[in-house]
Amino acid sequence: MQKHKLANERKGQMKMMETIGVLLVFFILVGIVLVFFAGTQRTSVTDSKSSLANAKSIESAQAADFLLEMQCSEENIPVDNCIEIEKAQLLGNMTAHDSQLNYEHYYPTFGYATISIEQVYPYSTMGKIIVYNNTLNRSYGNSTFTFPVLLYSSKKGVSPKRYNFGILNVISYY
Amino acid sequence: MRVNKNNKKISGRKSQTEIIGLVIIVMLIVVGFMLYVRFSLMAPKDNTKNEFTKAELATNMVNVLMKTTTDCRDATVQDLLKDCATDGRISCISDSVSMRSCDYAQKIIKTMADSTLEKWSRGYTITFYRADQSVQFAMNDSGNECSGNKNYKSAFSYIPLNPGTATLKIQLCDPK
């Protein structure tokens, strides 16, 4: 009888160990699947952020191109795809030194972005003019949108109808 | 003895059936997993920005190019191209060398394209031709990315002549 009892106990213990082993393996597999799933979800979220940032950079570039504060005009008629250099420099100074103006007026339009213009032809020592600069402290990445614009200088001595070839660069951060 | 043999056979069959069941379940899990990987990880990426950028860039490029003032008697690129397509009276000086309006315009356009499109790794083809399709000049990026490339966007600018028109065409392509 005692031998029979012992044998039964051993069987019970074996079954228990077997069940525990199966459960352990099951939970390890579930853990691996969860880790993998979390990884793919993170990638998917990053891709969505990137798409939104792309859309935002296009929106900001369009807004910058038609920004009245920088737009050229000929006899009060706006000139398309044209930026007046002196206006852009002034705007850059204002946004750099007036954080309230930056936050209230331009942040809703441009968000976290850096907008700059640069002359390509003819060659100029003017360098890059930063019109708006609001970087994100810890950004995952950025989306850049660059396109050509006309640059006009209203300085005295410069030919009144001279339009130079420049580029408008918009970097949106996310 | 016979009973034992039958019992063994039966239990053998049972375990075989169990194993087959396990194998089917594992195969279903693997197939499900591969379908998931196929549809989520290998889903086509959003290409909206690239397509919009190409179209916008081509249009902006041609519009801005035409209105750019050159160092040749302060004539715009459009003026030079118009002269190129007609009687070619304008003569330009570049690096102390006298050039026809066609050559000067081509040089200026190439300079601007290299400083922008080439630098941004954008394939391009720029062609200038008259209404009778006679090509005045054509240029490509250094890698000739647009040759045989079906994924492109074009922009045109038309210059009225008397008679007819001349056309400046810019074609932008994705790198191959």
Side-chain angles (χ1 to χ4, degrees):
Chain A
M1 265 307 263
Q2 261 187 339
K3 266 190 183 173
H4 199 65
K5 255 190 187 174
L6 266 167
N8 276 343
E9 269 175 27
R10 290 266 187 268
K11 255 192 188 172
Q13 281 173 6
M14 290 287 286
K15 280 280 179 190
M16 193 74 94
M17 295 298 290
E18 201 182 296
T19 310
I20 289 169
V22 165
L23 280 172
L24 201 67
V25 168
F26 175 74
F27 282 119
I28 287 170
L29 283 172
V30 165
I32 290 169
V33 166
L34 275 174
V35 164
F36 178 76
F37 184 70
T40 56
Q41 281 296 97
R42 194 192 295 174
T43 310
S44 164
V45 165
T46 310
D47 282 347
S48 300
K49 268 190 176 173
S50 172
S51 290
L52 282 170
N54 285 342
K56 182 68 186 169
S57 73
I58 291 170
E59 196 187 310
S60 300
Q62 298 279 19
D65 194 22
F66 290 99
L67 205 58
L68 288 171
E69 291 91 315
M70 295 194 300
Q71 205 171 23
C72 311
S73 58
E74 246 180 78
E75 293 176 13
N76 289 329
I77 301 168
V79 178
D80 286 342
N81 292 327
C82 180
I83 291 174
E84 196 169 317
I85 295 171
E86 285 74 29
K87 286 182 183 176
Q89 285 170 332
L90 188 61
L91 182 62
N93 282 336
M94 281 169 62
T95 56
H97 296 109
D98 189 341
S99 55
Q100 195 176 355
L101 174 78
N102 226 0
Y103 183 72
E104 282 177 9
H105 197 69
Y106 295 107
Y107 175 75
T109 309
F110 300 126
Y112 293 106
T114 301
I115 300 172
S116 58
I117 60 168
E118 202 176 343
Q119 187 166 308
V120 171
Y121 173 83
Y123 173 74
S124 166
T125 52
M126 179 181 84
K128 205 180 268 193
I129 298 173
I130 299 191
V131 173
Y132 173 84
N133 190 22
N134 191 4
T135 52
L136 195 53
N137 278 336
R138 280 163 58 179
S139 67
Y140 290 99
N142 59 66
S143 172
T144 304
F145 193 70
T146 309
F147 59 96
V149 287
L150 290 168
L151 295 178
Y152 170 73
S153 177
S154 56
K155 265 187 188 167
K156 281 185 186 175
V158 176
S159 176
K161 284 193 179 172
R162 190 182 177 100
Y163 293 103
N164 301 327
F165 186 93
I167 52 172
L168 175 69
N169 195 30
V170 178
I171 307 172
S172 290
Y173 305 101
Y174 61 90
Chain B
M1 292 298 270
R2 229 184 186 179
V3 172
N4 275 343
K5 265 193 185 171
N6 277 341
N7 279 346
K8 266 192 183 171
K9 268 193 185 172
I10 288 165
S11 62
R13 291 263 187 270
K14 259 190 188 172
S15 15
Q16 280 174 12
T17 313
E18 267 188 48
I19 293 288
I20 289 169
L22 269 171
V23 165
I24 289 171
I25 287 169
V26 167
M27 277 175 68
L28 281 172
I29 290 171
V30 166
V31 165
F33 178 73
M34 285 172 74
L35 281 170
Y36 172 73
V37 164
R38 164 68 183 87
F39 287 110
S40 70
L41 295 182
M42 294 185 191
K45 297 239 172 200
D46 181 22
N47 209 22
T48 314
K49 187 201 170 191
N50 190 40
E51 292 303 303
F52 177 83
T53 305
K54 256 196 321 222
E56 188 78 3
L57 191 55
T59 311
N60 264 35
M61 191 76 187
V62 82
N63 289 337
V64 171
L65 258 177
M66 293 300 254
K67 290 180 185 170
T68 301
T69 311
T70 66
D71 288 330
C72 178
R73 303 164 192 233
D74 281 348
T76 61
V77 169
Q78 183 167 335
D79 296 333
L80 293 176
L81 291 176
K82 189 172 183 176
D83 183 72
C84 172
T86 50
D87 39 22
R89 286 185 194 177
I90 298 176
S91 172
C92 307
I93 307 287
S94 171
D95 298 326
S96 311
V97 173
S98 177
M99 291 171 110
R100 297 181 312 130
S101 54
C102 285
D103 298 327
Y104 191 81
Q106 192 175 356
K107 185 187 166 193
I108 294 298
I109 293 171
K110 183 76 176 145
T111 304
M112 290 192 271
D114 285 348
S115 305
T116 50
L117 301 172
E118 186 86 45
K119 209 171 151 187
W120 302 333
S121 302
R122 284 275 174 198
Y124 69 86
T125 300
I126 299 175
T127 321
F128 179 59
Y129 53 90
R130 296 166 57 116
D132 58 2
Q133 303 298 311
S134 59
V135 177
Q136 303 295 300
F137 61 77
M139 60 184 83
N140 303 313
D141 59 286
S142 58
N144 204 16
E145 299 286 355
C146 287
S147 169
N149 193 333
K150 289 181 184 171
N151 191 8
Y152 62 85
K153 288 271 186 265
S154 301
F156 301 85
S157 182
Y158 302 98
I159 301 168
L161 306 175
N162 189 17
T165 54
T167 308
L168 180 71
K169 175 184 164 188
I170 293 182
Q171 196 172 329
L172 296 185
C173 319
D174 287 329
K176 282 182 200 165

